Amino acid sequence: MPVVAKPVKPTERIRVNQREAELMAAAHAWFVARKPGGRRLVLRFAIMEDVDLSGRDLSDADLTGSTLIRCKFDRARLVRACLFGADLQASSFVGASLANADMRGARLKGANLAHANMTQADLRAGRIAISDEDTQFAVLRHKVSAGQMDGANVSGAVLHQTRLDDVSAAAADFSDCSMRGAKLVGANLKNARLRGAVIDNVDVRGANLESADFSDAVLTRVDLTQARTMGAVMDRCLCDPDAEASARAAQIFVKLAAHREWVTSGGKSGEAAVLDGEDLRPMVEMAGAFLTAVSARNACLAGMDLRRISLQGALLEGADFRGADLRDADLRGANLNGATLKQADLRRAQLSALPFKADREKPTELTEACLRYADLREVGFGETDLSRADLEGARRTELQDGPDSAGPDPKVLEL
């Protein structure tokens, strides 16, 4: 059974200004931090327009059915927040965290969600109980509203396991987003822009993808035969590995085994692997591999599990690591010039110089490397030169809370 939001009478709708919103947000931050005097932000069916709450921690806040047009929530934390049926048109959520947020039936037309984390957010249709506008009384009348994202900017956003069933996102911009395990059943993405997006294991049954632009996107484990794709642009898409790449997997496995022996023996036995231009995606067991000094120029490792992999001193110019999991990887001294690490997870990876002797080291090279929207939290860069790398939208630190407050104002909290 769908959840039905119960309204208040139209004459009772609260209108909140900037100062009141700031004090409520401060009290909520204290609630989240479990400090005395904190109070959860519960503001249902309110009117709060043109308010700026950028950088605030609004985790678990309840804004059900509220009108939040043109508000700013840039870099704010809205984890598990309830925005059920909220009107968020033209609002800004740049770099915000909306993980696990309940956004069913929300209106996001023209909203800016660039770089936002929408992991497991729910944007399906919502069934809302609304008041009768003529009699001004709360009448049990229900309105089923599908999620609306027409014309929204979702570029660089993370949409892992996000529920977008039946959402209307015509002409929306999903460029460079990371969409894994998402549900787009019955969604309308006609004329949407998905250039450079990482789209993996997404359910598109009954979706309208007509005239959508998938140029340069990673499009794997997606059955497009179940969607309408007339006029869709698929130029330079990276799709599932072909039969030839899968057939070469056994040969590559032998090369990797010989390379491991070469590394562990200090070059006395085995043989250094040359994997230039290879599609390594059929190699499912690469996590934790010892590939020190391997040559994998222009190789394809997009979307692979490469956690804890050892790639010290590796030759990786032009390699494709889009959407790869490189957490705790050792890339010290690697040559990553021109490599693509867009939307890659590099948390706690090592990208500093590789020491040889007390007075010698090999720097990691990142000239013209693309690290757009990559997760770079706790990465060890050392003195590595990042001046010629593309770091647009890359995440380097945790989201910050908003300004400290002297404490909540009880009078405002009574609203």
Side-chain angles (χ1 to χ4, degrees):
M1 290 292 292
V3 176
V4 179
K6 185 178 179 181
V8 296
K9 296 179 184 179
T11 54
E12 295 176 349
R13 294 193 72 182
I14 299 168
R15 186 174 290 274
V16 180
N17 61 31
Q18 179 68 40
R19 177 58 177 164
E20 291 165 346
E22 289 176 355
L23 289 170
M24 289 180 177
H28 184 82
W30 284 36
F31 165 80
V32 172
R34 299 181 179 180
K35 293 182 179 180
R39 182 172 176 179
R40 184 187 178 206
L41 177 57
V42 178
L43 202 61
R44 298 183 177 184
F45 296 92
I47 299 174
M48 189 170 70
E49 300 177 349
D50 299 294
V51 166
D52 188 347
L53 291 176
S54 298
R56 297 285 185 168
D57 190 344
L58 302 174
S59 302
D60 298 297
D62 186 353
L63 296 164
T64 299
S66 290
T67 299
L68 306 169
I69 296 174
R70 297 182 303 277
C71 288
K72 292 188 68 174
F73 297 98
D74 297 343
R75 304 175 310 284
R77 287 183 58 84
L78 289 148
V79 177
R80 298 177 302 277
C82 186
L83 294 162
F84 189 106
D87 192 344
L88 303 163
Q89 296 181 80
S91 287
S92 181
F93 295 86
V94 176
S97 179
L98 289 153
N100 299 104
D102 185 351
M103 305 175 75
R104 286 172 292 171
R107 294 175 291 283
L108 287 155
K109 286 185 178 180
N112 190 351
L113 295 146
H115 317 168
N117 179 7
M118 302 175 71
T119 299
Q120 295 185 338
D122 193 344
L123 288 94
R124 292 175 294 169
R127 188 179 180 202
I128 305 171
I130 58 177
S131 300
D132 186 88
E133 295 179 358
D134 297 323
T135 64
Q136 302 291 296
F137 288 101
V139 177
L140 291 180
R141 186 159 61 91
H142 299 114
K143 178 182 178 182
V144 178
S145 177
Q148 299 174 27
M149 300 179 71
D150 301 315
N153 179 9
V154 203
S155 59
V158 177
L159 297 155
H160 296 173
Q161 299 178 352
T162 304
R163 297 300 302 267
L164 294 158
D165 308 70
D166 298 311
V167 74
S168 180
D173 187 356
F174 290 89
S175 299
D176 296 324
C177 77
S178 182
M179 192 183 295
R180 293 180 178 274
K183 299 290 185 182
L184 283 167
V185 177
N188 178 22
L189 272 72
K190 185 175 182 179
N191 294 316
R193 181 182 174 90
L194 297 107
R195 295 178 65 92
V198 178
I199 305 169
D200 177 63
N201 193 27
V202 173
D203 190 347
V204 296
R205 287 174 294 165
N208 184 355
L209 304 175
E210 294 178 353
S211 301
D213 187 354
F214 291 91
S215 300
D216 300 302
V218 175
L219 199 61
T220 53
R221 296 191 294 171
V222 180
D223 186 0
L224 292 175
T225 64
Q226 302 294 313
R228 288 148 53 191
T229 59
M230 183 179 297
V233 180
M234 302 283 181
D235 296 344
R236 301 175 301 281
C237 270
L238 177 64
C239 298
D240 295 302
D242 57 23
E244 182 179 352
S246 299
R248 289 184 55 79
Q251 301 175 34
I252 294 173
F253 180 83
V254 173
K255 288 185 177 182
L256 293 178
H259 187 87
R260 180 188 177 98
E261 183 180 346
W262 178 74
V263 172
T264 55
S265 68
K268 295 179 181 179
S269 59
E271 185 178 1
V274 178
L275 304 172
D276 297 346
E278 295 281 5
D279 187 346
L280 300 176
R281 291 177 295 164
M283 304 299 300
V284 294
E285 298 294 334
M286 291 281 282
F290 288 92
L291 295 178
T292 300
V294 72
S295 180
R297 297 180 175 94
N298 300 308
C300 181
L301 301 99
M304 293 186 68
D305 183 356
L306 303 172
R307 290 173 294 171
R308 306 178 307 283
I309 194 169
S310 296
L311 287 166
Q312 305 98 316
L315 304 177
L316 303 167
E317 300 102 306
D320 187 351
F321 289 95
R322 284 178 290 175
D325 189 345
L326 286 154
R327 284 176 290 173
D328 302 294
D330 192 342
L331 291 154
R332 290 175 298 167
N335 186 337
L336 288 157
N337 291 337
T340 303
L341 296 106
K342 186 187 299 181
Q343 286 285 6
D345 189 343
L346 286 148
R347 282 177 286 175
R348 300 178 301 279
Q350 293 299 315
L351 285 150
S352 56
L354 177 67
F356 282 119
K357 297 179 181 179
D359 59 344
R360 293 183 59 193
E361 60 182 21
K362 184 180 187 301
T364 301
E365 299 179 52
L366 288 165
T367 300
E368 296 184 5
C370 179
L371 290 153
R372 286 190 175 192
Y373 315 111
D375 194 334
L376 304 178
R377 288 176 289 172
E378 301 181 65
V379 171
F381 284 109
E383 300 298 321
T384 297
D385 183 7
L386 299 172
S387 62
R388 297 181 65 185
D390 186 349
L391 297 167
E392 180 182 343
R395 186 172 179 184
R396 298 288 298 273
T397 60
E398 296 287 350
L399 290 172
Q400 299 298 313
D401 294 339
D404 292 333
S405 170
D409 185 336
K411 293 182 180 179
V412 174
L413 297 177
E414 290 297 326
L415 289 172

